[in-house]
Each structure stands twice: as C-alpha cells, then as structure tokens.
Amino acid sequence: MNLRDLSYLVALAEHRHFGRAAEASFVSQPTLSTQIRKLEDELGVALVERTPRKVLLTETGREIARRARGVLSQVDEIKAIAQRTRDPESGTIRLGIFPTLGPYLLPHVIPALRERFPRLELLLREEKTEQILHMLREGTLDAGILALPVHDDSLHTEFLFEEPFVLAVPSGHPLAHHGRLRMEDLAEQNLLLLEDGHCLRDQALEVCHMAGAGEKSGFRATSLETLRQMVSANVGITLLPTLAVKPPVAQSGNVHLIEFEEPAPSRRIAMLWRKSSAMTPFFEALASVMRDVPAELFSARGCATGQPGRPSDVALTTP
C-alpha cells in the first residue's frame, strides 16, 4: 500500500467516476483502475462496486477512503511543516470562510496578510458552515473562519471580533425615521431571511425570537445581495452584518440602515483549526492579523454610498 494508491481511492470517492478521478489525479483511466484493483487485492476486500453507469464505493471502501483522507492530510501537514521550517512564513494554507462574511471581510484583511506573509499562498474556499466543519474534520481544509458557537471538541477556537447587525429598511418604512433601535421596536415585524443552511439565518431567527418578530412568509434569499435588493424593492426589511454595508460594497438605492442601541445584536467571529494540527503557532499569527481590523468597520457610520459626486444611495439613521 502506498500514498499514491490511497490518493486514487480518495479521488474515486469524490468523483464516483473512473475517468474524472483519473483526470483529477493526472493519470490515465486504465492506470487508476489497475491501481485500485491492486489495492483491493492487497487488502483482500472489495472497495468499489462497478456498475455500467456509475461507480459506488462499498461500505468498507467508504470507510477506508475516509481514513485515507486523514492520512493524506497528515502527509500534507508534514510537508508543510518541513517547508515552514525552511521558511516559516511560506507554504500553502487552505482556509474556509462562509458566504455572508467572506466577500465583506476579505477586502479588509487580504492586503494586511500579503504584507505580513508575502510568500504565503492562501487558498480560500467559500462554503456554508456545516460544510466547512466537515472539511476541517476530514482534513481537506487547514482552518476556517466561522461564527460562534461551534460545538466540536476536536477544534481549537480563536476569537477574532464581534460584528453588530444593522436593520435595513426601505425609505418609506415607518422604522426609517427612528434613531437607534431598541429590540422591542422589531416586535411584530416580519423580516426577510436567508434560506436554510446559512448561519446568518439562525442568528437572525434568534434576534427575531428575542424581539418578538417573525419571518416574512413565502420568501427566502440565497445571498445577502438578494436581501438587499428586496429591501430596495420595498418587499420588506432585514438584518445585515455591518461589514456588508461598508466600502467597497456597492449599495442599492432606497435602503436605510439603522443601528441598534447597546447591546446591539451581533455575531461573534472566530478562526478554527484542528487541535491536532502542528501549525498552531502559525495559525495564531494568522489570526492575529485578521483580528487587527479597524474598529470603524464595525460601526454602520461611513457605510457605502453611491458613486462619487452623487447623493448617497443609502441613508444611515443615527441619533
């Protein structure tokens, strides 16, 4: 048994097709098929069910492929450790981040990361929270940036920052002329929310529960940008994280942003990695750079406006 054959099995588990697995492994299909058969002969068990239309792994094959991912991940970490020993701030890091944070945080931290770690290759993967956690456990990601709480004893949690929410309403909405909102101001309001699977949906539902608000029926968005456009179109109101209303984000017209009184509803953001990882000191340094973002990014004041020389497309209501 060798690492190459294990990588072929993992590729087959991911693609469920000999041709696509071979292409991903940069070998011919006959080569990959032959090596899988040799691995089956060596182990004395069937790993693959070969059908005319698709490839299925046996139960044993799935379990071995799962463990093989862990082995290959550990090998990658060994190589990374050796590389980092020669040059501590170089190498490749696979970082997961969820969709309602990635596009809004990264423009503010990537320049600082490039300056601090000029030889670092940062491979970013945008996925929903549960997929990032799965990939961390499987070893296909080195670290992830997620909203707390995360309940997994195998992962180390490094707190980064707390991001408040603001309320986005159309200009004609009764709440548009409020000063800072109190939670009870949301009572009996129905908010536009994201679809299932987004952690922001769960956070917004928690705010709704505390405030006595509900969800607007018949609509669930796939992104923050859809929510923003629905507010602009007078469909309803929604919660937005403050990073999503800061430059360089382009805003929509007819949207008023209202801050909450303290303590404002918010989400806590952290960087997570496996406790077993040998790269903990480096991840701590990486987290330190991400934590050092300007405090003004977490206030809705100075939110994104329209084009230069034009009136603001977004009104911010404050005291």
Side-chain angles (χ1 to χ4, degrees):
M1 184 189 311
N2 57 51
L3 295 174
R4 178 197 59 194
D5 292 344
L6 292 180
S7 70
Y8 292 162
L9 180 64
V10 168
L12 195 58
E14 291 174 352
H15 295 279
R16 299 188 180 186
H17 185 278
F18 276 101
R20 289 192 292 270
E23 183 178 356
S25 302
F26 303 102
V27 296
S28 67
Q29 180 173 332
T31 296
L32 185 137
S33 180
T34 298
Q35 293 306 125
I36 293 293
R37 286 192 182 277
K38 286 183 178 179
L39 185 59
E40 289 178 315
D41 292 341
E42 181 178 353
L43 296 174
V45 293
L47 302 175
V48 179
E49 295 179 19
R50 296 164 174 83
T51 67
R53 294 188 177 181
K54 59 182 177 180
V55 173
L56 298 175
L57 267 66
T58 64
E59 183 177 351
T60 300
R62 290 193 298 271
E63 176 62 18
I64 292 175
R66 184 185 71 81
R67 292 178 180 272
R69 287 189 189 95
V71 170
L72 295 171
S73 175
Q74 291 293 321
V75 170
D76 287 342
E77 285 198 9
I78 289 171
K79 292 178 180 178
I81 291 168
Q83 170 65 23
R84 196 154 286 115
T85 299
R86 296 191 298 271
D87 188 352
E89 296 176 357
S90 70
T92 300
I93 295 296
R94 301 164 298 177
L95 181 69
I97 192 167
F98 58 99
T100 61
L101 179 65
Y104 314 107
L105 173 65
L106 294 175
H108 302 289
V109 299
I110 291 297
L113 289 173
R114 285 176 175 166
E115 182 178 357
R116 174 65 179 81
F117 307 108
R119 295 179 300 280
L120 177 69
E121 181 183 29
L122 190 61
L123 300 181
L124 295 166
R125 180 74 177 262
E126 188 177 89
E127 297 283 357
K128 293 179 181 178
T129 296
E130 286 305 314
Q131 180 64 13
I132 290 175
L133 288 172
H134 173 74
M135 296 174 74
L136 280 172
R137 297 181 191 115
E138 292 289 328
T140 53
L141 284 177
D142 299 308
I145 298 178
L146 297 172
L148 298 176
V150 173
H151 304 291
D152 191 321
D153 292 338
S154 70
L155 298 176
H156 172 81
T157 300
E158 191 80 10
F159 175 74
L160 297 179
F161 53 79
E162 189 159 352
E163 182 185 18
F165 294 120
V166 295
L167 187 71
V169 303
S171 59
H173 194 276
L175 292 176
H177 306 293
H178 274 54
R180 286 179 180 258
L181 288 172
R182 298 168 299 174
M183 289 292 286
E184 51 264 36
D185 292 329
L186 291 183
E188 300 183 5
Q189 296 286 338
N190 291 316
L191 275 65
L192 301 168
L193 300 181
L194 292 171
E195 64 182 0
D196 290 333
H198 289 277
C199 62
L200 182 58
R201 171 180 172 80
D202 299 331
Q203 295 151 6
L205 283 172
E206 185 177 350
V207 173
C208 289
H209 177 73
M210 291 188 296
E215 177 181 4
K216 188 175 182 67
S217 61
F219 174 84
R220 289 187 181 180
T222 58
S223 70
L224 285 185
E225 298 315 305
T226 301
L227 287 180
R228 200 192 314 269
Q229 293 302 321
M230 292 301 99
V231 174
S232 178
N234 293 302
V235 174
I237 67 177
T238 194
L239 290 170
L240 294 174
T242 52
L243 285 174
V245 302
K246 308 294 285 191
V249 178
Q251 299 290 321
S252 303
N254 191 38
V255 176
H256 283 252
L257 304 172
I258 315 170
E259 292 183 295
F260 287 85
E261 288 184 352
E262 297 295 339
S266 62
R267 61 183 182 182
R268 291 167 55 82
I269 305 299
M271 185 170 166
L272 295 91
W273 58 86
R274 292 179 298 281
K275 290 180 179 178
S276 61
S277 174
M279 294 190 287
T280 291
F282 178 76
F283 289 145
E284 289 174 343
L286 201 65
S288 178
V289 174
M290 293 190 177
R291 189 185 297 114
D292 193 25
V293 291
E296 58 265 25
L297 288 177
F298 304 112
S299 168
R301 292 182 178 87
C303 64
T305 61
Q307 296 177 1
R310 297 178 54 191
S312 172
D313 287 333
V314 180
L316 171 63
T317 303
T318 55

